[in-house]
Amino acid sequence: MDVLDTSKSLDEELYSRQLYVLGLPAMERLREAKVLLSGLQGLGVEVAKNLVLMGVGSLTLHDPHPTCWSDLAAQCFLSEEDLARSRAEASQKRVAKLNSDVQVCVHTGPVTEHLLLKFQVVVLTASNLEEQLKVGNFCHKHGVCFLVADTRGLVGQLFCDFGAHFIVQDPTEGEPLTAAILHISQGSPGILTLRKEADARHFHDGDLVTFSGIEGMVELNGSAAQPIRVREDGTLEIGDTTTFSCYLRGGTVTEVRRPKAVSHEPLDAALYQPRVVAQSPREVHRAHCLHQAFRALHKFQHLRGRPPQPWDPEDAEMVVGLARALEPLRGAEGEPLPGPLDEALIRTVALSSAGGLSPMATMLGAVAAQEVLKAVSRKFMPLDQWLYFDALDCLPEDGKLLPSPEDCAPRGCRYDGQIAVFGAGFQERLSHQHYLLVGAGAIGCELLKGFALVGLGTRGSGGVTVADMDHIERSNLSRQFLFRPQDIGRPKAEVAAEAARRLNSDLRVIPLTSPLDPTTEHIYGDKFFSRVDGVAAALDSFQARHYVATRCTHYLKPLLEAGTQGTRGSASVFMPHVTENYRAPAGTTESEDGPYAVCTVRHFPSTVEHTLQWARDEFEGLFRLSAETINCHQQALTSLADRGGPQLRPLLHVVLGVLRQRPQTWQDCVLWALGHWQRCFCSGIMQLLRQHPPDKVLKDGTRFWSSPKQCPQPLDFDPGQDTHLLYVLAAANLYARMHGLPGSQDQRALREMLETLPLPELPHRDPIFSSDLASTELDPEQVQRLRAALQDWSVGSPLEPLEFEKGDDSNFHVDFVTAAASLRAQNYGIPPANRTQSKRILGQIIPAIATTTAAVAGLVVLELFKVVGRPRPRTAFRHSYLHLAENYCSRYVPCAPAIQTFRHLTWTCWDRLKVPAMQPERTLGSLLAHLQEQHGLRVAMLLHGPALLYSAGWPPGKHAQLLPLRVTELVQRVTGWTPEPGQQVLVLELSCEGEDDDTAFPPLHYEL
């Protein structure tokens, strides 16, 4: 049991989501790191932003170059007022405001060898090859981790050199694997069988494991880590157990993470023998061609003293020629790499290389910052060694539609860097778009920044409406970079809108604090969506995403969507009539908030989630519901006591327990907590085993206690065990708080008190567990005891109901639940969760980190370019999935919408049957006749939502009553529906005669 030390200097509330990704040791190493970042254009400032948000110890900025117009398209901390100022000096204060824990300073002189030795990591962006080679070789020689990051238009490059012998302390994400043991055989090798709910597929051959909590074969407990082999049936071979004692029950197998060594080549060698990160041979070849393209661009810059002009064919041909003349690349053994140089690719790179784009800087800056984090924290495997990323699919496929040099010439405006890639005409289209951004959290802030920098919604009827009902919390500040400490408590939408306007004063942004859900369709209705060109969703639940996606399908609006979990992220685009529509993973919309079965949680837990849910229910019953019940019924005590039944269970926990009168002292509270420990983890388990003995057999011959049911074991209270002590400490303090008594945090004094207190005696038939397992009625003796206790508890001030608060580490709430769940897990032989894991599971907290958030936002804005530049074929769009911890990024073409057929009709999810209401309005009979005459559909049933409006199977008399009714009159009569102001469509659903079971007709849009 890891008891939280609240004296730690680390702000665990601020970094709570990130701690679930990195863990405390990696986070502490990050906070001690010193990083030098040279180059503060868009890419450099994205690296800086992410490092400061994540809490790097100190960051030194270096960029003496003056700010120019082209910088503003991608650099979020520069504005028109900073033109001609040093980029580093102009950015420093704004970067520093992201996190007061991080020291951010500026180095104004040259980058010397003496300077480099002061840092653990050096990052160069927007640097020439000569500087890269000089700095890189020095860093490699002196053990300084070195990175190069660069973007040119729609292509990006990242290089990592962490030295010849770099040790990764923790190579993977998440907690070490832990699984409960069902059985271990005696033999050579011994065969370990996991419980049914454990998944052996997560273990791999060669993994090292340790064992604990095993009864019987105790020789394994605490033994040295040993390798395993995963068998085809999912069992594990664990070595020779021939001479060990016979296995009885219980136990846990736990993975032991092993450090891994990484060897990197210096840049001067890696330049000619590049090791590239790619997912397929085709991608490897493309990366090699992009590698040569960057070398050729450096050569062009060296010869001409400038980069290629935007979309200048002569400059592009020169770059292609320089690439052609380069020394061929070689493999690890010096062999020439296969595959011809893709000159068309290099030509396109050269033509579009003059620009600087916000989403490219965002994406590459996120990956680069993640690599810096890997270098200083020694968490996760670093890149080996080159990464190339390109989004050239943003350009039109038809060469005739590519921009001209004249259209891409600088205008002396903040969008010059973007105009250099896409042209002024495209910029004009962007400015007139109006988008709805749903969610102003971490991804939402990044998207809003991207929208501001690219110039979305800055003119005419364009704009951005940002909708979010939440308010800013302190834990948001480490990822949601538009917010500052003084914004805590304010609505996210309003603060994000204000911050976005500061990024680009031309941005027209409207904040809305109403949620987007079925209750607000009068706000986000037909009129609202008629003004919207597209929707971007930055939501943290599948249920919310699914609802937003249904609205986009209804209104035929493009949907851009992104989500993250730890270092995993995804970005998707859904285009009406072009791609499939959004579908949540199977079961997620129903399971997100779905409770566990009551009997499972109470008596038959098999997972740590079950134990935590039980402990959470305990907190509610003991410290909130009981206080509320007593307070509400102080004036009606007799009737309350006489009622009996389930509503009294949480009350009985408190007022009966082992006390017979209201507590007056701290010792009373300790005695109550000790008695409740005895009830829950000893006598209650013994009573359960009396009703269901360990050897109980069902009528069909199977054992009652067979997987997934685990036969529990009662615990004996031991004040010397930390978990036992923590439970009593937390429970007694919460009980005291509820009764208005002073508590205590003195663990030593509590342990001494517990050593002298006798264990409370509980009645053989405990009313709590008897009501749970059998009758819900109270016998007369129990009612009398309850009445007497209530009379006593009514004297004095009302009790204080305690609302569970996971964010306060000093209130004993999480301590109680963690200890209770851990003890419950010990009862049932379940591997327990530690305090950090418990907080995450209880709060349904999604682990998050700034780098993944930024990366997916950059990917979304790249898709925005394609949506605005339509019409584009499906092959132009990309869904993306990335896993930064494992250096994985996959971009793939979305599926086409599925085509459904019924007789002569064909349709997809984007189609609908449109029927005008007419004037005077048509009747139900007219509507049915229209569908048969125009579409050949004989309607069997017609519905509005879940309400049945018409059925062909109804008797003729009912048809005679309904068919003459106007359609809206019928809907009003059946459902009580009234049209919202401005509502243009009434959506109906139909089924038809002759349809198959899996036929889903398109919705009927009855146009009002």
Side-chain angles (χ1 to χ4, degrees), residues 531-591:
R531 300 191 300 265
V532 169
D533 295 297
V535 177
L539 298 162
D540 58 5
S541 83
F542 289 113
Q543 186 175 8
R545 294 179 193 174
H546 178 74
Y547 176 76
V548 171
T550 60
R551 303 307 283 165
C552 290
T553 303
H554 174 76
Y555 289 110
L556 298 179
K557 301 297 180 182
L559 172 63
L560 300 163
E561 186 271 335
T564 68
Q565 182 171 6
T567 65
R568 295 174 173 85
S570 64
S572 305
V573 55
F574 303 96
M575 287 292 294
H577 302 296
V578 177
T579 73
E580 61 187 348
N581 63 350
Y582 173 86
R583 286 176 293 180
T588 51
T589 55
E590 293 79 16
S591 65

Side-chain angles (χ1 to χ4, degrees), residues 128-270:
N128 60 57
L129 184 57
E130 182 181 6
E131 181 184 19
Q132 294 172 10
L133 289 167
K134 178 182 176 181
V135 174
N137 289 339
F138 180 84
C139 288
H140 186 87
K141 180 179 178 182
H142 291 88
V144 178
C145 295
F146 174 66
L147 291 88
V148 172
D150 198 4
T151 61
R152 304 291 182 96
L154 287 162
V155 296
Q157 172 194 66
L158 180 59
F159 170 75
C160 296
D161 173 13
F162 292 178
H165 188 70
F166 180 82
I167 302 298
V168 182
Q169 297 291 346
D170 189 354
T172 57
E173 187 170 8
E175 299 285 340
L177 295 175
T178 300
I181 300 169
L182 179 65
H183 185 262
I184 305 173
S185 69
Q186 291 174 302
S188 182
I191 306 301
L192 184 152
T193 304
L194 300 175
R195 286 189 182 175
K196 185 176 181 180
E197 67 275 5
D199 192 346
R201 291 174 299 178
H202 295 302
F203 287 100
H204 298 92
D205 288 347
D207 283 351
L208 292 180
V209 298
T210 58
F211 305 93
S212 61
I214 296 173
E215 296 183 36
M217 197 176 284
V218 295
E219 295 87 347
L220 287 173
N221 292 332
S223 62
Q226 57 183 280
I228 60 169
R229 189 178 79 83
V230 182
R231 293 155 56 102
E232 289 186 4
D233 61 0
T235 57
L236 308 178
E237 294 182 2
I238 62 170
D240 190 353
T241 59
T242 305
T243 61
F244 290 175
S245 306
C246 183
Y247 174 84
L248 293 179
R249 68 177 67 85
T252 301
V253 56
T254 303
E255 174 196 20
V256 176
R257 296 273 173 84
R258 287 183 285 187
K260 291 186 178 181
V262 172
S263 180
H264 282 168
E265 298 294 330
L267 180 60
D268 58 356

Side-chain angles (χ1 to χ4, degrees), residues 367-652:
V367 181
Q370 185 74 33
E371 294 308 303
V372 174
L373 183 149
K374 294 176 183 178
V376 299
S377 70
R378 297 181 180 266
K379 172 87 172 177
F380 310 136
M381 294 296 290
L383 286 171
D384 188 31
Q385 287 183 263
W386 294 93
L387 175 70
Y388 285 92
F389 175 82
D390 80 88
L392 294 170
D393 40 71
C394 291
L395 298 172
E397 294 81 359
D398 188 347
K400 297 178 182 178
L401 300 177
L402 294 172
S404 65
E406 295 75 23
D407 194 31
C408 296
R411 263 62 174 176
C413 74
R414 66 175 298 122
Y415 309 114
D416 276 355
Q418 190 163 284
I419 289 172
V421 178
F422 295 113
F426 177 79
Q427 190 64 46
E428 182 71 11
R429 287 199 296 277
L430 266 177
S431 69
H432 288 277
Q433 293 283 302
H434 193 121
Y435 262 69
L436 169 64
L437 171 60
V438 189
I443 298 174
C445 283
E446 285 286 347
L447 288 175
L448 200 51
K449 175 207 71 181
F451 294 165
L453 293 181
V454 303
L456 180 76
T458 57
R459 301 183 62 184
S461 59
V464 176
T465 297
V466 55
D468 196 312
M469 64 181 289
D470 288 341
H471 291 70
I472 297 167
E473 300 176 0
R474 180 164 178 76
S475 62
N476 301 148
L477 303 183
S478 66
R479 303 172 327 283
Q480 301 172 23
F481 84 104
L482 296 181
F483 306 146
R484 301 292 178 267
Q486 62 268 24
D487 299 320
I488 292 173
R490 293 187 60 198
K492 287 185 177 181
E494 294 178 4
V495 177
E498 294 168 4
R501 292 189 197 103
R502 290 194 292 271
L503 296 179
N504 183 352
S505 59
D506 293 334
L507 180 67
R508 302 178 179 187
V509 56
I510 304 167
L512 293 177
T513 56
S514 299
L516 190 70
D517 61 28
T519 68
T520 57
E521 291 184 3
H522 61 288
I523 299 173
Y524 306 100
D526 295 350
K527 184 177 180 181
F528 176 88
F529 274 96
S530 68
R531 300 191 300 265
V532 169
D533 295 297
V535 177
L539 298 162
D540 58 5
S541 83
F542 289 113
Q543 186 175 8
R545 294 179 193 174
H546 178 74
Y547 176 76
V548 171
T550 60
R551 303 307 283 165
C552 290
T553 303
H554 174 76
Y555 289 110
L556 298 179
K557 301 297 180 182
L559 172 63
L560 300 163
E561 186 271 335
T564 68
Q565 182 171 6
T567 65
R568 295 174 173 85
S570 64
S572 305
V573 55
F574 303 96
M575 287 292 294
H577 302 296
V578 177
T579 73
E580 61 187 348
N581 63 350
Y582 173 86
R583 286 176 293 180
T588 51
T589 55
E590 293 79 16
S591 65
E592 281 182 321
D593 300 317
Y596 300 106
V598 173
C599 62
T600 298
V601 171
R602 284 183 180 169
H603 309 302
F604 311 120
S606 59
T607 68
V608 69
E609 287 80 8
H610 294 156
T611 65
L612 282 165
Q613 184 62 57
W614 175 85
R616 182 71 172 80
D617 293 344
E618 278 279 289
F619 182 98
E620 288 294 300
L622 293 172
F623 307 118
R624 183 179 70 83
L625 295 176
S626 59
E628 291 176 350
T629 303
I630 291 176
N631 291 344
C632 288
H633 295 88
Q634 279 188 342
Q635 304 305 315
L637 298 175
T638 302
S639 63
L640 174 67
D642 291 341
R643 267 187 255 163
Q647 70 272 20
L648 294 180
R649 293 176 195 155
L651 181 60
L652 285 168

Side-chain angles (χ1 to χ4, degrees), residues 1-5 722-723 726 815 818 833-837:
M1 173 58 58
D2 52 340
V3 181
L4 183 68
D5 180 5
D722 288 344
T723 310
L726 180 62
D815 293 311
T818 301
N834 60 32
R835 193 178 198 281
T836 301
Q837 294 168 327

Side-chain angles (χ1 to χ4, degrees), residues 661-673:
Q661 60 185 10
R662 183 166 174 155
Q664 304 297 320
T665 67
W666 166 244
Q667 182 167 323
D668 287 344
C669 298
V670 172
L671 184 63
W672 172 87

